[in-house]
Amino acid sequence: MTRKAFFFFFCTPIFFTVVCFSRPASGERFDEIFQPSWAADHLLYDGEVVQLKLDNFTGTGFGSKSKYLFGKATAEIKLAPGDSAGTVTAFYMSSDGPNHHEFDFEFLGNSSGEPILVQTNVYVNGVGNREQRVGLWFDPTADFHSYGILWNRQQVVKKKTKSWERELAFPDDQPMGIYSSIWNADDWATQGGRVKIDWSHAPFVTTYRGFWVDACECPAGTGAGAGEEDMKRCAGQGNEQGRRYWWQEPMMEELSLHQSHQLLWVRNHHLVYDYCADSARFPAAPPECEP
């Protein structure tokens, strides 16, 4: 069983949920949803369990066979144990092309005994630079935890400020695939690249199970944008029953009071980097960072 915990990362104004909760490791078969995206010989699939391996030859990754416009994707992940400095395990959603949208989780490997950091980022029309880093207060290498990305027309945004509406497009018009990978990032991942990968500890193996996708499949949206009918259908408009999807219900459009308190706890106790507070990098605060 996974350990019971709930926590939320807020990438202003984009909102990510990462939820760790107790439930059986069940869901959909990996090969029904995903396929290897590169270095298939470094991806091991045995029933319900998938392993991605990084060695001094290559890393590997997988991606969903379909793309989606709104919904939720989760996977139970156990990160590579021990001294994993310089490695990155990424779990993310992304559309295609240079003007893509993307929601990132990047788990940054570290030396043995040091906290694992998770970095979030958001790309809108190909522009990112919205990193936040949080130190995890549990050991993500010792057990499986369930990580989920929830995306709808409201919930990915905690608050839609006037500056956001004026300066930035809202990422609701490009279907995204679901991806994960492990790779060598020792030029930046651990202490700004000062700590390199110790290949004597290879292979570095990240393990997955319990894949679950509950999202609006968007088969026509394989390019830069979704078709008009897909946009309406995935927004809960004009579908055959005229029904709303669960992620469009009013209760899903904002955090509950309890979730808001959890978010504040994480930010107050475990946030180690916030691009909104980096005046050296951004002398003028990005518009979405304004209160």
Side-chain angles (χ1 to χ4, degrees):
M1 285 291 186
T2 56
R3 297 175 182 177
K4 188 174 182 179
F6 296 87
F7 55 104
F8 303 85
F9 301 151
F10 175 46
C11 297
T12 312
I14 297 296
F15 167 69
F16 282 98
T17 64
V18 183
V19 186
C20 303
F21 56 95
S22 296
R23 66 170 174 82
S26 62
E28 300 177 66
R29 285 174 53 92
F30 171 81
D31 56 359
E32 293 177 345
I33 313 170
F34 299 102
Q35 59 191 1
S37 52
W38 51 290
D41 62 329
H42 281 52
L43 186 154
L44 306 177
Y45 174 46
D46 181 15
E48 294 183 346
V49 176
V50 176
Q51 292 185 323
L52 300 187
K53 181 176 70 174
L54 168 67
D55 58 25
N56 57 349
F57 293 102
T58 185
T60 187
F62 61 80
S64 60
K65 297 177 181 179
S66 297
K67 288 186 169 59
Y68 306 91
L69 189 66
F70 310 131
K72 186 177 181 181
T74 64
E76 295 183 15
I77 305 173
K78 183 164 62 173
L79 299 179
D83 183 353
S84 60
T87 71
V88 168
T89 295
F91 179 57
Y92 61 103
M93 296 186 70
S94 180
S95 56
D96 296 332
N99 296 320
H100 70 292
H101 302 331
E102 184 174 331
F103 306 152
D104 287 345
F105 286 118
E106 293 177 318
F107 299 92
L108 311 183
N110 221 325
S111 301
S112 298
E114 297 184 7
I116 297 287
L117 300 181
V118 58
Q119 174 173 284
T120 60
N121 200 356
V122 177
Y123 287 77
V124 180
N125 291 328
V127 179
N129 299 322
R130 299 183 178 94
E131 299 92 345
Q132 291 184 328
R133 291 186 181 183
V134 170
L136 298 180
W137 53 98
F138 57 90
D139 183 357
T141 73
D143 201 356
F144 287 94
H145 291 79
S146 184
Y147 301 90
I149 299 174
L150 172 64
W151 175 34
N152 63 30
R153 301 189 77 165
Q154 295 295 326
Q155 186 73 352
V156 291
V157 175
K158 181 63 168 61
K159 57 181 181 180
K160 188 181 285 187
T161 63
K162 290 183 179 178
S163 59
W164 170 266
E165 291 174 329
R166 182 180 67 250
E167 302 291 343
L168 300 171
F170 179 66
D172 65 353
D173 61 340
Q174 297 184 26
M176 297 191 190
I178 304 159
Y179 303 93
S180 194
S181 59
I182 186 170
W183 45 288
N184 176 359
D186 68 3
D187 58 332
W188 65 271
T190 304
Q191 298 183 29
R194 290 186 294 273
V195 181
K196 304 299 184 181
I197 291 180
D198 183 346
W199 292 111
S200 69
H201 296 151
F204 304 96
V205 178
T206 296
T207 308
Y208 302 75
R209 69 181 187 187
F211 296 96
W212 196 277
V213 178
D214 190 355
C216 183
E217 189 171 0
C218 203
T222 57
E228 183 177 352
E229 293 304 314
D230 285 330
M231 289 283 290
K232 290 181 179 179
R233 175 175 55 83
C234 292
Q237 305 167 356
N239 54 49
E240 58 275 10
Q241 288 85 27
R243 65 181 179 87
R244 293 170 63 96
Y245 294 103
W246 65 265
W247 56 81
Q248 304 295 151
E249 293 297 329
M251 67 177 296
M252 301 303 298
E253 293 183 350
E254 59 183 359
L255 296 179
S256 69
L257 181 61
H258 179 58
Q259 290 169 337
S260 296
H261 288 166
Q262 289 176 313
L263 171 61
L264 288 174
W265 180 83
V266 170
R267 291 181 61 86
N268 289 338
H269 295 280
H270 297 282
L271 184 68
V272 298
Y273 176 80
D274 183 358
Y275 78 103
C276 284
D278 192 341
S279 58
R281 186 179 174 196
F282 301 103
E288 71 272 17
C289 296
E290 297 175 5

